[in-house]
């Protein structure tokens, strides 16, 4: 099943916060002022000049479909200006693997182990070109992330634990989202789906994925995609593309992992629940396999009854 | 799907222990010597005389289908001899509710809160008539239970945590079993299925039950049904019936709940796992419902991967 993402035009802050945000559904917001970046950044020359020579860590892949699980790409470092140059061209004179290789930047913090990406910090001469809509209190802001990639690049389907405004600045992007309710059809490995080719998934390996309800849309330059926390998303760069996204905290600070710099570490209560569950499963190891499996099913049914409200009167 | 239970005739102890027991599948054993009970107990007069006047606690129900969950029966007390008399007749001159009411005895220990049923202890003048086959080491014996009921009585589907030999002495009994692998189709409430009318289940309420693979058979007097631990079973008395079953411990003593007198309290590792799981679920309560449900699914998928060997290469 497929739904097209709603496109909402000419919306103000109160409409977003009062009518759209509480629904926890993805929406494309069109016509919101995100600043001069939409004009200025169209120029590769402007971007490379203002962005500077700072080395950036990038994903480089011989095929456009990047696979985080099987790691079909390598991490390389290039000066920002060289990287943008290469990402914007279809064929490269200088390259790592092949002259048609794809590039992808997901900007990092100054110390990528400790710092969150912050476009004002890492790209001060570009940051003023972009305005973040005031759709959330400023103290809830978590990070602002530059995302630039070659035409055709496709990122693996995954979820983040924070709310997200993806501001499309240059180029068009096809976005495909799945509700958190579809989690059982996603074939997750951590926060990432094992289904790489979402338009042509292997029906033998991923039968449930074929039944997942998808929400699709095309982002045009200047569009903002609201991605609520936990919504799975897959992104395909229809053109060489530049985008910035902001993550912010929807919930209380204490519910997020404080070592998380990417916005994708599971909420603290779940990480704890997972550890506790592992201890529960450990006790089952005292039993022979047939008993263990039986009681595994009983534990699942307990979660279904207690958390998923299954088998409850409507 | 329906399979008929295998009927194995003329089998010796080593065939049972070496060939049948390790398969953990229910089987009807025919022609094993269970003693003179098969002849002697056919006489209601003999049973009442030898069984004596000791009061027994019985289930009395106006309908033959007894429902442990909704408790459509009451517990009454009668002298054993009166009870057998009433259970053996189709209409009663003395009765609690109606003259066609059904009776069911599941014998208890001397102190039903602490003692297991032991036919040698509670019915010494009858116990010598029955021989327990030497299919397990005597120190593994847990209990021996007299089961007597009116024609037509049907007991709720449930599982026990111990291995079980059900020795049919008088009358015929229809038995319907389901493998522990069918647990998700059983609509359990504790160890009992909520599906009462197994031959005509409500398809709206119990859709998965209709898909459960059943194993059926008819026990004739003298037959023994081997019910491995965790196998669900439902029993219908086609005639007024007398049976004795023995429960024994398949696993190490420490894995059984020492307060269990019925043989139906879950194994210790599972009881512990359940308590630990509840703590894990408690931590999820810190999150809003949509997050809780999402992570509930992720916990389930963790159990599937770790315990049920799902998503593993074949």
């Amino acid at each position: 099943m497929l739904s097209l993402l709603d496109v909402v035009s000419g919306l103000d802050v109160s409409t977003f916060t009062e009518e759209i945000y509480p629904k926890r559904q993805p929406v494309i917001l069109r016509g919101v002022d995100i600043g001069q970046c939409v004009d200025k950044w169209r120029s590769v020359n402007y971007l490379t000049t203002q962005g500077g020579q700072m080395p950036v860590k990038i994903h480089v892949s011989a095929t456009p479909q990047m696979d985080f699980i099987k790691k079909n790409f390598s991490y390389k470092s290039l000066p920002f200006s060289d990287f943008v140059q290469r990402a914007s061209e279809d064929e490269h004179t200088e390259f790592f693997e092949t002259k048609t290789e794809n590039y992808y930047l997901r900007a990092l913090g100054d110390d990528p182990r400790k710092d969150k990406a912050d476009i004002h910090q890492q790209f001060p001469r570009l940051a003023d070109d972009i305005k973040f809509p005031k759709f959330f209190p400023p103290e809830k802001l978590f990070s602002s992330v530059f995302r630039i990639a070659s035409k055709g690049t496709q990122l693996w389907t995954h979820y983040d634990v924070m709310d997200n405004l993806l501001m499309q600045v240059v180029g068009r992007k096809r976005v495909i989202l799945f509700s958190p309710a579809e989690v059982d059809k996603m074939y997750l490995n951590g926060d990432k789906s094992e289904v790489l080719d979402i338009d042509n998934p292997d029906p033998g390996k991923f039968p449930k994925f074929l039944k997942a309800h998808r929400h699709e849309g095309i982002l045009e330059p200047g569009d903002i995609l609201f991605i609520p926390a936990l919504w799975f998303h897959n992104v395909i760069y229809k053109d060489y593309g530049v985008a910035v996204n902001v993550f912010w905290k929807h919930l209380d600070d204490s519910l997020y992992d404080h070592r998380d710099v990417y916005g994708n570490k599971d909420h603290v209560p779940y990480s704890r629940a997972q550890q506790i569950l592992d201890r529960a499963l450990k006790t089952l190891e005292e039993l022979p396999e047939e008993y263990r499996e039986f009681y595994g099913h009983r534990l699942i049914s307990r979660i279904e009854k207690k958390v998923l409200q299954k088998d409850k009167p409507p």
Side-chain angles (χ1 to χ4, degrees), chain A:
Chain A
M1 195 179 159
L2 168 71
S3 305
L4 291 183
L5 285 165
D6 282 345
V7 180
V8 179
S9 290
L11 129 156
D12 56 22
V13 171
S14 68
T15 308
F16 180 80
T17 51
E18 286 160 31
E19 289 175 32
I20 293 180
Y21 191 55
K23 287 190 188 146
R24 318 285 311 143
Q25 295 277 329
V27 182
I28 296 174
L29 311 170
R30 186 156 288 168
V32 177
D33 178 16
I34 63 166
Q36 298 189 308
C37 57
V38 184
D39 293 322
K40 288 186 170 170
W41 296 4
R42 271 197 295 224
S43 156
V44 171
N45 189 41
Y46 176 84
L47 264 186
T48 56
T49 312
Q50 300 289 311
Q53 307 289 313
M54 187 182 75
V56 286
K57 201 178 166 196
I58 52 173
H59 300 66
V60 181
S61 140
T63 53
Q65 236 164 25
M66 293 201 186
D67 180 353
F68 195 88
I69 295 170
K70 292 190 188 137
K71 296 269 166 62
N72 66 346
F73 53 81
S74 50
Y75 292 108
K76 300 285 180 191
S77 204
L78 278 181
F80 178 76
S81 51
D82 290 8
F83 156 71
V84 172
Q85 190 58 52
R86 290 207 203 173
S88 66
E89 66 198 17
D90 291 343
E91 270 198 25
H92 320 295
T93 43
E94 288 191 274
F95 50 83
F96 297 101
E97 293 175 59
T98 82
K99 61 183 178 180
T100 57
E101 65 195 12
N102 281 58
Y103 299 91
Y104 169 51
L105 166 70
R106 185 260 183 242
L108 302 172
D110 288 334
D111 177 345
R113 291 200 187 152
K114 290 184 195 161
D115 300 328
K116 300 163 274 186
D118 175 353
I119 194 171
H120 288 91
Q121 189 74 34
Q122 284 98 43
F123 303 93
R125 293 172 63 198
L126 287 169
D128 285 345
D129 296 336
I130 186 161
K131 284 203 235 174
F132 304 158
K134 298 188 196 316
F135 290 166
F136 53 89
E139 70 274 14
K140 289 289 198 178
L141 178 71
F142 176 77
S143 63
S144 50
V145 187
F146 231 145
R147 299 190 190 262
I148 302 177
S150 309
K151 177 176 178 167
T153 303
Q154 178 170 19
L155 279 312
W156 50 89
T157 306
H158 69 285
Y159 70 89
D160 299 294
V161 300
M162 294 189 196
D163 283 349
N164 189 352
L165 289 180
L166 176 60
M167 291 170 270
Q168 185 64 19
V169 184
V170 176
R172 289 165 311 141
K173 200 173 262 168
R174 179 174 159 223
V175 290
I176 306 98
L177 292 92
F178 303 88
S179 149
E182 304 287 351
V183 56
D184 288 339
K185 304 175 187 143
M186 288 293 119
Y187 298 87
L188 286 192
N189 185 327
D191 61 325
K192 295 163 190 77
S193 169
E194 289 182 356
V195 185
L196 198 62
D197 190 354
I198 61 168
D199 291 314
N200 196 20
D202 182 333
K205 264 173 96 177
F206 308 119
K208 285 186 280 186
F209 186 81
L210 294 165
K211 294 181 192 156
H213 179 188
R214 47 172 78 194
H215 301 252
E216 272 205 47
I218 303 283
L219 302 184
E220 303 285 343
D223 282 355
I224 301 176
L225 174 64
F226 168 49
I227 310 176
L230 307 184
W231 275 76
F232 301 95
H233 46 287
N234 186 290
V235 166
I236 299 167
Y237 285 73
K238 290 182 73 76
D239 308 300
Y240 144 72
V242 183
V244 174
N245 78 289
V246 290
F247 285 120
W248 77 96
K249 294 179 178 180
H250 167 225
L251 305 176
D252 189 81
D253 225 59
S254 65
L255 298 171
Y256 298 93
D257 187 327
H258 287 274
R259 295 157 305 175
D260 185 12
V261 294
Y262 290 94
N264 67 1
K265 281 201 200 298
D266 286 314
H267 294 87
V268 172
Y270 174 65
S271 304
R272 244 188 270 134
Q274 216 180 21
Q275 285 168 9
I276 300 172
L277 174 67
D278 285 352
R279 289 206 293 277
L281 301 184
K282 192 85 193 163
T283 75
L284 290 190
E285 287 176 17
E286 296 170 42
L287 292 167
E289 189 178 340
E290 65 196 286
Y291 290 74
R292 223 156 53 216
E293 293 219 357
F294 177 78
Y295 285 127
H297 282 282
R298 296 218 56 200
L299 291 179
I300 287 173
S301 138
R302 197 169 181 91
I303 299 177
E304 286 176 343
K305 282 189 187 169
K306 291 201 158 196
V307 182
L308 308 187
Q309 324 285 321
K310 271 202 189 170
D311 298 334
K312 290 212 175 149

